[in-house]
Amino acid sequence: MSADPLHRAGAPPRTPTNPPPSGPGTSPIEVRRSTRRRRTVSAYREGDRTVVLIPARMSEAEEQRWVSVMLDKLAAQESKRVLGDAELAERADRLSGQYFDGRARPASVRWVTNQNTRWGSCTPSEGSIRLSHRLQGMPEYVVDYVLLHELAHLLVPGHGPRFWRLLEAYPRTERARGYLEGVVAADRLPHVPGARGE
């Protein structure tokens, strides 16, 4: 839908800030403290949970900081894996089940290379969702947000209160929108020769 602020290069309207991820829609985080671990922190995925390993002597504040750092690091590593169209469709089905009780059922979900001013688009009458190839390489939570945004259009075509209420279920909505706004803003910066070692 072309009137969708997500699809335009401009800034989308703000919705109330969501609390940090902790609700039923987020994967659980398990912090394991070790007395043998002195300085290093590591993290990995174990099924649907994230395990963060930290030294036992760390304070609560350090723990929170490191959990955030490691979640971002894992997301960056995972985003380097490019999903194919089949994996993208599977991801859309999983997200629909997790956040919309499986009510959003796209007929097709695929990457496209002809969307340079939109992140995604949806044609509700056909049940088709298309995501811009520019999202490839972005953190998973950003791709998930764009997918959920388009899935929500299968349920509510416009951008009224019902539409934005659907997206409130996703705990990283504000963060993903901020990320996309940052990318758009960076694209608008003037090119300065020599700024990146040229």
Side-chain angles (χ1 to χ4, degrees):
M1 310 210 65
S2 60
D4 189 335
L6 172 68
H7 302 152
R8 291 196 312 267
R14 288 275 175 197
T15 54
T17 303
N18 290 320
S22 63
T26 59
S27 62
I29 298 165
E30 180 182 334
V31 176
R32 296 181 187 166
R33 292 175 173 264
S34 169
T35 52
R36 289 181 295 177
R37 192 173 280 269
R38 297 284 173 231
R39 287 193 301 254
T40 60
V41 177
S42 62
Y44 60 91
R45 305 284 190 205
E46 189 176 81
D48 67 342
R49 77 174 53 240
T50 302
V51 177
V52 181
L53 306 170
I54 65 171
R57 61 177 176 72
M58 273 193 182
S59 68
E60 289 293 318
E62 288 174 310
E63 175 184 317
Q64 287 179 8
R65 185 176 70 81
W66 275 107
V67 165
S68 179
V69 166
M70 297 313 287
L71 287 175
D72 285 345
K73 197 171 186 174
L74 281 174
Q77 289 169 353
E78 290 165 351
S79 71
K80 289 176 183 166
R81 268 186 23 247
V82 176
L83 301 174
D85 287 350
E87 292 170 305
L88 199 60
E90 287 172 17
R91 194 176 196 88
D93 287 342
R94 181 179 56 77
L95 289 167
S96 175
Q98 188 173 0
Y99 294 100
F100 302 146
D101 298 321
R103 292 178 295 132
R105 295 189 194 104
S108 67
V109 183
R110 62 191 173 95
W111 295 108
V112 293
T113 57
N114 62 351
Q115 290 190 142
N116 293 316
T117 59
R118 301 173 173 205
W119 297 115
S121 60
C122 173
T123 307
S125 60
E126 297 173 3
S128 62
I129 291 174
R130 295 158 305 280
L131 296 193
S132 172
H133 71 287
R134 296 179 308 135
L135 288 164
Q136 293 174 340
M138 290 190 187
E140 279 189 3
Y141 73 90
V142 175
V143 176
D144 284 353
Y145 167 70
V146 177
L147 265 176
L148 279 165
H149 188 106
E150 302 310 333
L151 286 165
H153 278 308
L154 294 176
L155 304 173
V156 181
H159 288 99
R162 272 183 60 225
F163 176 83
W164 294 111
R165 271 197 301 276
L166 282 174
L167 289 180
E168 286 175 4
Y170 184 56
R172 301 185 93 176
T173 290
E174 282 299 311
R175 187 172 184 181
R177 288 173 67 178
Y179 185 100
L180 292 170
E181 286 173 6
V183 170
V184 170
D187 285 346
R188 290 182 180 157
L189 292 174
H191 175 74
V192 181
R196 294 184 186 173
E198 296 164 7

